[in-house]
Amino acid sequence: MLTLMLAGCSGSKSGSDGSYSGSVYTVQRGDTLSKISRMTGTSVRDLARMNGISPPYTIEIGQKLKVNGSSSSGKKSSSKGKTAKVTPSYAVPQSSWPPVGQRCWVWPASGKVIAPYSTSEGGNKGIDIAAARGTPVYASGAGKVVYVGDQLRGYGNLIMIKHGEDYITAYAHNDTLLVNNGQNVKAGQKIATMGSTGANAVALHFQIRYRATAIDPQRYLPAQGSKPKC
């Protein structure tokens, strides 16, 4: 399974190796889960599981990751004693989610929400919108396309759009893809058509991620069929 890393979502060159003390690793520019795995001796699967990293698998510079700490290849701190438990920077608690109206979002597609967002472990980290094959899929906000492809198993033809420094939206299971990586898009611009790639039925899986945490899209979207009031 491809682990798609969008550290800062930029094309900068990799910087120096990150550092870790005991069981906590600090993400540096250019890091990927594969690179961190090699440095710390923690498998990619364990990194994702231990840190609650779910598709679309984003990490951020400065993020604290739990690791097994069994490798001696990384730069370790000379401090002694137990490492304090650190809450990863991407794990934004629901009480700290951004206020409604901070950004204007539009519905990414017309249709019925057949699977809402869930906070339970392993639950749906977005919403699933069902409609006829070929239904237009729209950018929920203005931004830059940072991923177009089908290499994330279970997500089919996927588009990811970055909106400023804090937000990323994801659009999965598309049929036709109408944008390219690196392209700037406007809110409401048609970016794809609905399909069933990587799924058993025609539907759009849509996510809004705030600082890499998947938040409830329906909390921020306007009522279906209406325009945002912000």
Side-chain angles (χ1 to χ4, degrees):
M1 182 175 185
L2 173 68
T3 52
L4 176 64
M5 305 320 305
L6 297 175
C9 297
S10 68
S12 342
K13 295 181 179 179
S14 299
S16 59
D17 289 341
S19 61
Y20 68 98
S21 174
S23 60
V24 177
Y25 178 91
T26 303
V27 177
Q28 302 294 311
R29 183 177 298 277
D31 276 347
T32 65
L33 282 192
S34 295
K35 180 180 177 182
I36 296 170
S37 173
R38 291 192 299 270
M39 292 180 62
T40 65
T42 309
S43 71
V44 171
R45 177 176 294 182
D46 283 348
L47 283 170
R49 176 183 58 80
M50 289 164 43
N51 294 283
I53 302 174
S54 57
Y57 298 102
T58 57
I59 58 174
E60 297 180 337
I61 297 170
Q63 181 175 325
K64 307 293 185 181
L65 298 180
K66 296 177 184 177
V67 299
N68 289 336
S70 59
S71 170
S72 60
S73 59
K75 297 179 182 177
K76 295 191 176 181
S77 168
S78 59
S79 60
K80 297 181 180 180
K82 295 182 179 180
T83 302
K85 184 177 180 181
V86 178
T87 301
S89 62
Y90 65 88
V92 180
Q94 193 165 351
S95 60
S96 298
W97 285 6
V100 174
Q102 185 181 77
R103 292 187 68 96
C104 290
W105 302 105
V106 300
W107 276 84
S110 298
K112 180 180 180 181
V113 177
I114 58 173
Y117 174 90
S118 172
T119 56
S120 63
E121 184 175 354
N124 194 20
K125 298 311 175 188
I127 57 175
D128 294 350
I129 305 170
R133 186 181 302 277
T135 296
V137 174
Y138 305 104
S140 190
K144 183 176 182 179
V145 178
V146 292
Y147 179 82
V148 178
D150 61 357
Q151 298 181 69
L152 282 173
R153 185 185 306 167
Y155 285 79
N157 290 332
L158 173 68
I159 295 172
M160 296 174 64
I161 300 173
K162 184 181 180 185
H163 313 270
E165 292 302 316
D166 291 333
Y167 293 92
I168 288 178
T169 53
Y171 313 74
H173 309 309
N174 301 294
D175 188 358
T176 304
L177 302 175
L178 303 175
V179 291
N180 299 311
N181 195 33
Q183 180 178 338
N184 291 316
V185 296
K186 298 178 180 179
Q189 180 177 332
K190 184 177 178 180
I191 59 173
T193 59
M194 195 178 296
S196 57
T197 55
N200 296 321
V202 177
L204 171 70
H205 176 70
F206 173 68
Q207 293 186 11
I208 297 178
R209 287 186 166 260
Y210 173 70
R211 296 179 181 172
T213 293
I215 58 179
D216 184 0
Q218 286 185 279
R219 182 173 178 174
Y220 298 94
L221 291 168
Q224 280 188 295
S226 64
K227 295 181 179 180
K229 297 179 180 180
C230 52

